[in-house]
């Protein structure tokens, strides 16, 4: 009953603080969109060279492109790649189109492939004739946003839940309501649980909106199950919430909550899989094992890019839940600072 | 007369600073007990200890023979802190409803209790207003209301009448007297001398020491002065 009262109160309070509510949902969506615009821009007009392409194929391709097709031999194309003059070279080998991508820029690769595929799909009724795709530099068929999108979703959910959860819990203390609350017969675990559930409701909505927006509007690479991705996002949000309320016990004002961002949040981004960790020093790799986002980002990547199920990634999930439980218990202990009982 | 609160050898320091020094006090059942002293004297620290949200370095406190802190005791204590502990996004009624629920009042009881305390503090007309739009005095009154709903046997008020106009202050005191006549024990801290006069008994607190404790009349009589203010100065002077 006490937990219920806390939950109801938090929900009412939060619904009246429209700006914080907006920050929780709109800010991550806005930032994700900005990054998507930067990394996933499809406006780039590729320059393509061809050799011995059948006339209908060439016409169809030209129709898709803004820039004129140039004619080169393979040797000339390689030189052109090295000089950075063209983005792709298309030739015919074994009666199949052979696409050689310059490959160094994921967004350019995407633009080339999109044009080529649109052009060729109108020519071949049956899709059995697939062009072979090779890369001159690198070899990657995901664009950059697809690669980091999963990590970014996890990160922004984590970040904004951390800020809002931390500050609300802190405000209980600075405005004296925590003291008042603890002068009532409420138990410490009831306060923490009430917070977790009350905010938990909003993080469910937040996770749902952000994941749906990323998958359906931004069209980030997603081969896994939507609802399973949502479960992971939500678990990560709960971990962020418990960590935030715990750390807010060690902050005296909002500014000090902000100081936790470079200390607690930023390192998690760098070491959570957005950048390849295998080349880093061992101690940094070990450090990343203590960061919840490492497991959250890994779990999300497994689902989104590799199409794994929750069952396949249970070690990640177990560790995330473990972090949340640990922070939850420490929270209850930290409240002892305000009332021993 | 039986004892409601018994403080035994309470000492406390924040870091190196000693804020309470060997406090011995007992508060009788059914009296209005005043803690008078300048700010920084240790009044708030002491009442927080009585409530049980702060534990003293040394000494013990008993309420009705039960040792503080205890969750059972918290049910029987009403505490109004110095800062207005209210949720600014919520309306007056929602604030009261929240605390009433935490105190374990059932729905019907809750409604009655809320109506009653709103009437006492004269906020019935504003009960659906969001607290953010309240004046300082209104917030003070609402805080008082929030500490009354569960009919505590011990009511602890930390500077309750700051920012409240004389008319309302009078009516709050009338109400406190009524609560007292119904058997409630009230501990009130203040630094306003004329308010101290209204208490049944008074402890004068300075620099963490109790410099005197008696009824206002006896305190004045002992020093042969006509006001509490003069008595306070006289007791303080003798000690210092």
């Amino acid at each position: 009953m006490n937990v219920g009262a806390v939950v109801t109160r938090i929900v009412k309070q939060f619904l009246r603080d429209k700006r914080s509510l907006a920050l929780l949902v709109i800010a991550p969506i806005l930032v994700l969109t900005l990054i998507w615009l930067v990394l996933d821009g499809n406006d780039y007009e590729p320059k393509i060279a061809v050799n011995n392409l059948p006339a209908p194929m060439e016409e169809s391709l030209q129709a898709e492109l803004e820039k004129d097709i140039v004619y080169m031999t393979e040797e000339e194309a390689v030189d052109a790649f090295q000089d950075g003059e063209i983005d792709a070279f298309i030739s015919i080998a074994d009666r199949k189109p052979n696409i050689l991508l310059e490959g160094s820029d994921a967004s350019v690769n995407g633009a080339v492939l999109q044009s080529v595929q649109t052009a060729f799909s109108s020519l071949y009724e049956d899709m059995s004739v697939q062009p072979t795709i090779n890369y001159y530099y690198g070899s990657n068929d995901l664009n950059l946003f697809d690669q980091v999108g999963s990590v970014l979703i996890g990160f922004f959910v984590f970040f904004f839940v951390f800020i809002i959860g931390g500050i609300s819990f802190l405000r209980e203390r600075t405005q004296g309501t925590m003291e008042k609350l603890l002068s009532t017969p409420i138990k410490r675990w009831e306060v923490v649980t009430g917070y977790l559930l009350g905010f938990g409701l909003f993080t469910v909505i937040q996770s749902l909106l952000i994941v749906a927006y990323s998958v359906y509007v931004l069209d980030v690479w997603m081969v896994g199950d939507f609802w399973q991705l949502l479960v992971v996002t939500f678990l990560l949000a709960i971990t962020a919430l418990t960590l935030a309320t715990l750390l807010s016990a060690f902050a005296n004002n909002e500014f000090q909550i902000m100081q936790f961002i470079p200390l607690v949040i930023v390192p998690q981004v760098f070491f959570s899989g957005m950048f390849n960790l295998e080349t880093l020093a061992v101690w940094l790799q070990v450090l990343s094992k203590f960061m919840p986002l490492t497991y959250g980002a890994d779990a999300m990547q497994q689902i989104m890019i590799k199409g794994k199920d929750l069952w396949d990634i249970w070690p990640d999930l177990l560790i995330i839940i473990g972090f949340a439980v640990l922070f939850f218990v420490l929270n209850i202990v930290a409240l002892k600072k305000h009332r021993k009982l | 007369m039986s004892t409601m609160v018994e403080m035994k050898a309470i000492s406390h320091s924040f870091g190196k600073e000693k804020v309470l020094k060997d406090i011995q006090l007992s508060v009788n059942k059914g009296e209005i007990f005043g803690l008078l002293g300048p700010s920084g004297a240790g009044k708030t620290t002491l009442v927080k200890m009585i409530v049980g949200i702060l534990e003293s370095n040394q000494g013990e406190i008993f309420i009705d023979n039960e040792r503080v802190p205890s969750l059972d005791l918290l049910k029987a204590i009403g505490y109004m802190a110095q800062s207005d502990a209210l949720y600014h996004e919520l309306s007056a009624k929602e604030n009261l409803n929240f605390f009433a629920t935490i105190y374990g009042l059932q729905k019907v009881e809750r409604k009655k209790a809320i109506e009653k305390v709103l009437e006492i503090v004269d906020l019935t007309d504003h009960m659906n207003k969001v607290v953010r739009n309240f004046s300082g005095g209104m917030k003070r009154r609402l805080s008082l209301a929030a500490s009354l709903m569960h009919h505590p046997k011990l009511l602890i008020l930390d500077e309750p009448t700051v920012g409240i106009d004389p008319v309302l202050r009078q009516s709050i005191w009338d109400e406190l007297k009524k609560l007292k006549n119904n058997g409630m024990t009230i501990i009130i801290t203040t630094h306003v001398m004329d308010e101290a006069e209204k208490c049944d008994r008074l402890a004068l607190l300075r620099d963490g020491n109790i410099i005197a404790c008696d009824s206002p009349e006896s305190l004045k009589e002992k020093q042969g002065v006509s006001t509490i203010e003069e008595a306070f100065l006289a007791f303080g002077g003798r000690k210092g």
Side-chain angles (χ1 to χ4, degrees):
Chain A
M1 179 132 136
N2 284 345
V3 174
V6 177
V7 172
T8 320
R9 192 209 82 216
I10 289 169
V11 170
K12 276 187 193 159
Q13 262 184 302
F14 209 177
L15 285 177
R16 285 192 197 152
D17 188 1
K18 296 277 190 305
R19 229 158 70 180
S20 298
L21 203 57
L23 181 68
L24 199 62
V25 175
I26 293 170
I29 285 182
L30 181 74
V31 183
L32 274 172
T33 309
L34 284 176
I35 294 176
W36 171 76
L37 286 173
V38 172
L39 299 185
D40 199 53
N42 272 335
D43 290 329
Y44 182 80
E45 293 300 339
K47 188 164 186 188
I48 295 177
V50 298
N51 189 17
N52 288 334
L53 224 54
M57 204 182 258
E58 195 188 306
E59 275 165 31
S60 171
L61 184 61
Q62 183 65 69
E64 288 297 321
L65 297 170
E66 289 274 310
K67 292 179 184 161
D68 285 337
I69 290 173
V70 291
Y71 304 93
M72 288 180 181
T73 64
E74 186 152 5
E75 289 78 41
E76 285 170 339
V78 167
D79 285 340
F81 279 146
Q82 283 171 355
D83 297 337
E85 284 167 0
I86 57 168
D87 299 313
F89 172 70
I90 303 172
S91 57
I92 294 286
D94 298 336
R95 302 180 61 207
K96 272 165 70 183
N98 190 347
I99 304 169
L100 184 63
L101 291 169
E102 193 262 354
S104 67
D105 189 330
S107 60
V108 173
N109 295 345
V112 171
L113 289 177
Q114 205 186 19
S115 313
V116 173
Q117 267 153 12
T118 324
F120 291 2
S121 64
S122 58
L123 286 177
Y124 297 102
E125 290 292 297
D126 63 283
M127 294 305 285
S128 61
V129 186
Q130 286 288 346
T132 39
I133 299 165
N134 289 301
Y135 290 80
Y136 185 71
Y137 297 117
S139 75
N140 205 332
D141 58 353
L142 297 180
N143 77 31
L144 195 52
F145 188 71
D146 289 330
Q147 288 168 50
V148 296
S150 49
V151 180
L152 287 176
I153 294 171
F155 167 66
F156 286 120
V157 166
F158 197 92
F159 180 76
F160 288 103
V161 168
F162 182 87
I163 302 258
I164 290 178
I167 289 180
S168 325
F169 205 66
L170 175 97
R171 259 201 322 209
E172 285 268 357
R173 268 170 47 224
T174 52
Q175 73 186 3
T177 44
M178 183 57 81
E179 187 185 86
K180 169 75 192 172
L181 200 51
L182 289 174
S183 80
T184 72
I186 197 167
K187 296 182 182 75
R188 280 180 285 122
W189 70 263
E190 290 175 326
V191 177
V192 180
T193 311
Y195 251 82
L196 194 65
L197 296 180
F199 266 95
L201 279 177
F202 290 100
T203 61
V204 170
I205 300 168
Q206 182 211 30
S207 302
L208 181 69
L209 288 175
I210 292 174
V211 170
Y213 182 80
S214 305
V215 172
Y216 296 117
V217 180
L218 299 187
D219 201 23
V220 62
W221 186 282
M222 167 72 174
V223 289
D225 183 62
F226 179 84
W227 296 104
Q228 296 192 12
L229 179 62
L230 199 60
V231 169
V232 177
T233 316
F234 172 68
L235 284 178
L236 198 57
I238 289 294
T239 310
L241 180 61
T242 48
L243 179 63
T245 50
L246 176 62
L247 288 182
S248 80
F250 304 99
N252 293 321
N253 51 49
E254 280 85 348
F255 187 53
Q256 290 188 347
I257 292 272
M258 294 298 167
Q259 290 164 4
F260 282 122
I261 294 172
L263 289 176
V264 178
I265 304 290
V266 175
Q268 297 207 58
V269 184
F270 289 129
F271 304 127
S272 67
M274 199 184 304
F275 304 102
N276 197 333
L277 280 181
E278 278 157 33
T279 54
L280 289 182
V282 176
W283 70 272
L284 281 176
Q285 293 186 32
V286 170
L287 201 63
S288 77
K289 302 274 183 241
F290 293 95
M291 301 175 174
L293 199 56
T294 305
Y295 304 94
D298 182 59
M300 294 177 85
Q301 262 179 335
Q302 299 279 349
I303 290 180
M304 294 176 76
I305 296 174
K306 300 182 183 164
K308 297 259 174 84
D309 286 328
L310 289 181
W311 181 245
D312 300 319
I313 52 169
W314 68 267
D316 278 337
L317 299 183
L318 199 67
I319 293 173
I320 298 171
I321 294 170
F323 270 116
V325 171
L326 175 71
F327 296 148
F328 176 79
V329 172
L330 289 177
N331 242 305
I332 298 173
V333 176
L335 275 187
K336 273 197 174 180
K337 213 168 119 187
H338 305 288
R339 191 183 74 190
K340 288 266 168 68
L341 214 57
Chain B
M1 217 182 292
S2 54
T3 308
M4 176 58 95
V5 185
E6 184 76 55
M7 292 165 244
K8 291 179 177 168
I10 301 294
S11 294
H12 194 71
S13 353
F14 290 123
K16 276 186 182 164
E17 196 191 353
K18 274 202 131 187
V19 285
L20 290 175
K21 298 159 193 164
D22 198 28
I23 304 280
Q24 304 272 4
L25 273 181
S26 60
V27 178
N28 297 326
K29 272 189 184 153
E31 72 175 348
I32 299 183
F33 187 90
L35 278 170
L36 178 69
S39 53
K43 303 187 296 285
T44 299
T45 309
L46 190 57
V47 291
K48 278 187 186 173
M49 283 170 181
I50 302 172
V51 176
I53 48 181
L54 190 66
E55 215 160 337
S56 58
N57 300 140
Q58 276 162 27
E60 298 177 295
I61 297 175
F62 292 89
I63 296 175
D64 235 359
N65 296 319
E66 196 173 337
R67 195 176 190 280
V68 176
S70 121
L71 280 179
D72 275 337
L73 277 177
L74 287 174
K75 276 182 208 156
I77 298 176
Y79 172 57
M80 172 185 175
Q82 207 164 2
S83 62
D84 298 307
L86 299 166
Y87 297 101
H88 291 192
E89 296 87 355
L90 303 185
S91 70
K93 200 175 157 190
E94 286 166 336
N95 267 286
L96 294 180
N97 194 52
F98 171 65
F99 288 115
T101 312
I102 300 281
Y103 276 115
L105 269 63
Q106 297 303 313
K107 204 169 177 186
V108 183
E109 271 180 288
R110 219 149 62 205
K111 197 160 174 274
K112 260 194 235 159
I114 290 171
E115 275 166 18
K116 177 133 195 293
V117 292
L118 279 173
E119 210 171 295
I120 292 174
V121 297
D122 195 20
L123 283 174
T124 312
D125 295 341
H126 305 282
M127 66 184 206
N128 290 318
K129 231 191 237 175
V130 172
V131 171
R132 185 182 290 115
N133 304 326
F134 273 27
S135 71
M138 285 161 85
K139 286 184 199 156
R140 221 63 213 116
R141 279 141 64 193
L142 187 58
S143 293
L144 177 62
S147 59
L148 283 176
M149 281 178 301
H150 57 299
H151 305 293
K153 61 182 178 189
L154 175 63
L155 180 63
I156 298 171
L157 308 171
D158 199 356
E159 310 252 8
T161 53
V162 173
I164 292 186
D165 67 82
V167 178
L168 193 66
R169 186 189 299 193
Q170 185 56 50
S171 81
I172 285 178
W173 268 97
D174 289 346
E175 196 54 46
L176 292 181
K177 292 235 167 80
K178 251 189 252 168
L179 291 168
K180 172 204 144 163
N181 291 336
N182 286 332
M184 199 181 279
T185 310
I186 300 169
I187 298 177
I188 183 165
T189 75
T190 181
H191 61 260
V192 185
M193 302 292 170
D194 70 318
E195 217 166 68
E197 300 255 16
K198 294 175 180 148
C199 299
D200 295 319
R201 284 199 311 139
L202 204 54
L204 307 187
L205 200 59
R206 214 188 66 168
D207 297 334
N209 290 302
I210 303 285
I211 51 177
C213 178
D214 211 331
S215 69
E217 291 70 34
S218 318
L219 288 173
K220 285 185 275 188
E221 220 168 273
K222 274 185 204 160
Q223 294 293 337
V225 293
S226 58
T227 65
I228 288 291
E229 188 152 11
E230 287 170 303
F232 193 98
L233 290 171
F235 279 113
R238 207 169 57 188
K239 280 249 174 171

